[in-house]
Amino acid sequence: MFVEMSQKKFAVYLPEELFTNIFLRLGVKSLLRCKSVCKTWLSVISNPLFVESQLHRALMTPTLLIIDYPGGYSASLWNKNLVINPFPRLVLPHIFEKCDVVSCSYNGIICLCDDNDAIYLWNPSIGEFKKLPPAARHRPRCLLRYDKVVFGYDSISDHYKVLKMVYENSKDFMRKVYLYSTNTDSWRRFEDPIMRKLNGFGQTDIVVNGVLYIKSGSGLITFDLHREVFGLVPVPGFFGKDMSNVLDFEGSVGIVFKSVGDAEGIFLWTLDDVSGRMRWTKKFRINAYPGSHLWLYCYLGAGNFYGRMVPNHSIFTHHISYDYETEKTKLYVRENVYATVKYTQTLVSLNGFELLGNMPTKSLAGKKRSRGTSID
């Protein structure tokens, strides 16, 4: 590979492998700039093998992405002992301002849906998105609030899938299931009696080892994304109140429960394969401000959880990070944000993706107080 240097226009030869290794150490924003330098760089960075290598490298260091409402954010700075949230953040594009973020992000792709049955896949790092085709059905608008939409990634077939579980009329006693796959770019409908067990809303669902886990009542509904088969995993009654989303903890499904009785306290439990059978295993106690009201959103790796908490003798909710290895808790400035997503910055683009014009992704770091970094 030849590189043109200054106005003297003399060429320096560098092996393409060296450029590839350099590019792999750059952020996505810098890589997008490099694509405009020359055709050779564009070819290297656009190569599917490079995109895959960048993805695998990025997955080793996930972070948390904070998405702000259009028009600014609301934060309380009354306590000087609180820490400004350090995670990357961006402003939600106006095209999505009436949407909700669905479940988790996979390979840099975020799923969103709105009250008009519109569903989008979006990679904010590269500013590209796709509106999914509508599922073929007709039903009263008043039933929309009973929808359950989940998003997952089938790593075996390399397809992204969206499940929409809905009541189609007021007489239905069980939700119908519509499954979308990026492979076919279409929906298909099927029914499963396990849908009678689905009664939970508002909790983040997660994919672990190719299986989607949906928290519902006193159990977990499972969906094998490759085989497209539902299952059910019960949660023992002695666990007590759950205090987290369904988590991916070091490759195992995890939930934080507040135990009662002799083992009173807050503990992380994981669902593990023990001698060919899936069993719940107690891992460790969560010592984040005893007596506080705690809810953990996700596990970021390296011992760190992220969530929210109302400290004892307080009425204010704060976002927190908790390191279970050191048992240290950081309270962040109380603020009103659109969404927080465990996220990886990638170059992944899907068939049908288009550029989101004029997307306001700039950092809010220009304010009087730093608000973290923008995506790079």
Side-chain angles (χ1 to χ4, degrees), residues 346-358:
T346 75
L347 295 167
V348 174
S349 180
L350 306 179
N351 289 335
F353 263 31
E354 57 184 292
L355 190 63
L356 186 61
N358 301 318

Side-chain angles (χ1 to χ4, degrees), residues 66-77 89 317 319 333-338 364 367 371:
I66 298 175
I67 307 176
D68 288 302
Y69 293 97
Y73 67 95
S74 174
S76 171
L77 304 176
R89 61 198 307 140
T317 300
H319 288 111
V333 169
R334 182 168 56 91
E335 58 184 337
N336 183 25
V337 299
Y338 167 75
L364 298 182
K367 302 289 183 180
R371 303 290 295 116

Side-chain angles (χ1 to χ4, degrees), residues 11-293:
V12 177
Y13 177 80
L14 292 176
E16 186 170 311
E17 293 79 7
L18 179 59
F19 271 96
T20 299
N21 287 331
I22 293 173
F23 289 153
L24 285 174
R25 287 162 173 76
L26 298 180
V28 171
K29 189 175 181 180
S30 297
L31 288 172
L32 295 179
R33 293 195 188 105
C34 289
K35 290 174 71 173
S36 302
V37 172
C38 63
K39 291 182 180 180
T40 305
W41 288 17
L42 173 63
S43 176
V44 171
I45 298 171
S46 301
N47 188 307
L49 292 178
F50 178 83
V51 173
E52 184 177 357
S53 297
Q54 189 276 334
L55 170 62
H56 289 164
R57 188 179 181 90
L59 289 174
M60 298 170 60
T61 55
T63 185
L64 195 83
L65 176 63
I66 298 175
I67 307 176
D68 288 302
Y69 293 97
Y73 67 95
S74 174
S76 171
L77 304 176
W78 60 270
N79 191 332
K80 295 182 179 180
N81 295 322
L82 299 181
V83 179
I84 299 292
N85 206 315
F87 298 103
R89 61 198 307 140
L90 58 79
V91 178
L92 184 74
H94 284 283
I95 189 175
F96 302 138
E97 63 184 350
K98 295 183 179 179
C99 294
D100 292 321
V101 172
V102 177
S103 301
C104 299
S105 166
Y106 299 99
N107 299 340
I109 306 296
I110 296 175
C111 182
L112 308 100
C113 69
D114 66 15
D115 289 339
N116 294 315
D117 268 3
I119 299 178
Y120 303 88
L121 299 182
W122 171 44
N123 185 341
S125 294
I126 60 175
E128 294 184 6
F129 81 107
K130 173 181 180 176
K131 183 177 181 180
L132 303 189
R137 67 180 185 281
H138 301 281
R139 63 206 172 94
R141 185 173 179 80
C142 63
L143 294 177
L144 284 170
R145 65 181 182 274
Y146 297 107
D147 286 1
K148 177 73 174 177
V149 180
V150 292
F151 172 56
Y153 172 64
D154 174 13
S155 59
I156 297 177
S157 61
D158 191 26
H159 299 153
Y160 298 83
K161 298 184 178 182
V162 178
L163 280 171
K164 188 157 192 176
M165 294 158 278
V166 302
Y167 292 113
E168 294 192 326
N169 63 70
S170 58
K171 296 182 181 180
D172 282 349
F173 61 90
M174 183 174 66
R175 288 180 176 88
K176 304 297 189 301
V177 180
Y178 289 84
L179 175 65
Y180 169 87
S181 174
T182 53
N183 178 41
T184 61
D185 192 30
S186 62
W187 297 82
R188 69 179 181 88
R189 180 183 134 173
F190 61 97
E191 298 183 18
D192 194 290
I194 288 180
M195 287 299 100
R196 299 177 184 177
K197 303 288 186 179
L198 182 62
N199 57 14
F201 294 94
Q203 295 194 36
T204 300
D205 314 301
I206 199 163
V207 175
V208 180
N209 298 323
V211 178
L212 177 65
Y213 292 84
I214 307 169
K215 183 70 171 66
S216 178
S218 59
L220 295 175
I221 291 178
T222 66
F223 183 73
D224 188 308
L225 287 164
H226 188 67
R227 297 170 55 234
E228 298 183 354
V229 176
F230 280 98
L232 184 64
V233 176
V235 175
F238 60 79
F239 276 174
K241 182 179 179 181
D242 52 333
M243 304 186 71
S244 76
N245 294 336
V246 186
L247 309 172
D248 181 350
F249 179 78
E250 307 293 355
S252 295
V253 176
I255 304 180
V256 175
F257 291 99
K258 184 176 183 180
S259 303
V260 295
D262 295 337
E264 184 173 354
I266 301 173
F267 296 91
L268 174 76
W269 291 73
T270 59
L271 185 63
D272 302 303
D273 188 335
V274 179
S275 300
R277 298 183 61 184
M278 300 304 292
R279 295 183 179 179
W280 289 97
T281 306
K282 183 191 290 187
K283 290 296 184 179
F284 48 79
R285 182 189 293 267
I286 304 291
N287 290 315
Y289 281 70
S292 64
H293 298 279

